[in-house]
Amino acid sequence: LLAPIGDPEKVICVGLNYRDHCLEQDVKIPKEPIIFSKFPSAIIGPFDDIIHPEESSEVDWEVELAAVIGKKGKHIEESAALDHVVGFTVANDVSARDWQMKRNGRQWLLGKTFDTFCPLGPALVTKDAVADVHNLGIRCSVNGQVMQDSSTSQLIFRLPKLIAWVSRFVTLVPGDILLTGTPPGVGAFRKPPVFLK
């Protein structure tokens, strides 16, 4: 199976968007959404191999709910934001923590966008098939062990707010992917830290 969206114009990501994820790393809950991006070249199919880059020794996992834009919009009102979504899928915001948190001036882009760092899918679930996008279980297993287990009810900034916020800065177009943040349980904040090999 391939990624349900393979070559979007934009892959927009949100950092620190789960209350419980902020608590696990002892950081303040953001007052505004923290936005970064990945390049589309990071996207791979849901079961493809993530290539561990030689440049990093701290590769981590982040399960995320991803929304796919289906209708073009700029300066979208929160009340109309979900009208611009065609459906949802699952993403893994694979992250090289050394590059994200210690290198490159601590800008997140390079640590987030190595090739293969955005497994996506397998399914695109249409919006009408999801009763409440803010009440979904979200989990990640590594080698059969559940590492992340939370709910989208923990989102700080909900999807309508995120769409309205991002559309203040860029025009959203069909096929754009919005990763909404990750819950706790990532490797970097475990004691001791655990990274992918």
Side-chain angles (χ1 to χ4, degrees):
L1 289 167
L2 303 176
I5 304 289
D7 189 22
E9 182 178 289
K10 294 183 280 299
V11 181
I12 302 159
C13 308
V14 184
L16 300 175
N17 199 30
Y18 276 76
R19 293 180 195 287
D20 42 12
H21 182 49
C22 291
L23 292 173
E24 83 170 331
Q25 52 188 300
D26 197 28
V27 298
K28 290 181 181 174
I29 290 175
K31 292 186 169 37
E32 296 175 333
I34 297 170
I35 305 297
F36 63 98
S37 65
K38 288 180 174 281
F39 295 132
S41 55
I43 293 174
I44 55 174
F47 308 112
D48 291 344
D49 290 337
I50 299 165
I51 305 302
H52 192 298
E54 292 179 11
E55 294 82 1
S56 176
S57 59
E58 298 182 358
V59 177
D60 204 348
W61 58 83
E62 291 191 4
V63 64
E64 309 212 4
L65 171 74
V68 179
I69 299 299
K71 177 181 166 187
K72 185 176 181 177
K74 174 85 170 166
H75 294 292
I76 299 165
E77 297 291 334
E78 278 187 54
S79 59
L82 291 181
D83 295 341
H84 292 263
V85 174
V86 70
F88 307 100
T89 191
V90 180
N92 186 348
D93 175 17
V94 182
S95 305
R97 300 298 188 191
D98 35 11
W99 283 91
Q100 178 190 1
M101 298 175 170
K102 301 170 192 167
R103 308 277 305 271
N104 196 43
R106 288 194 237 165
Q107 296 184 63
W108 291 6
L109 177 66
L110 287 183
K112 294 284 193 172
T113 201
F114 280 97
D115 289 346
T116 74
F117 269 27
C118 191
L120 201 62
L124 176 66
V125 179
T126 56
K127 181 176 54 182
D128 58 348
V130 178
D132 182 0
V133 72
H134 300 110
N135 190 27
L136 298 173
I138 184 163
R139 285 173 292 285
C140 176
S141 297
V142 178
N143 296 330
Q145 180 180 351
V146 175
M147 300 300 238
Q148 294 180 276
D149 189 359
S150 187
S151 167
T152 57
S153 65
Q154 291 287 312
L155 283 168
I156 297 165
F157 302 107
R158 294 183 160 215
L159 200 50
K161 171 75 174 181
L162 294 175
I163 290 168
W165 178 261
V166 170
S167 75
R168 291 169 60 179
F169 304 94
V170 297
T171 301
L172 295 174
V173 300
D176 283 351
I177 300 168
L178 176 63
L179 277 61
T180 57
T182 200
V186 298
F189 302 115
R190 292 179 173 267
K191 295 182 177 29
V194 178
F195 295 111
L196 298 174
K197 304 254 187 262

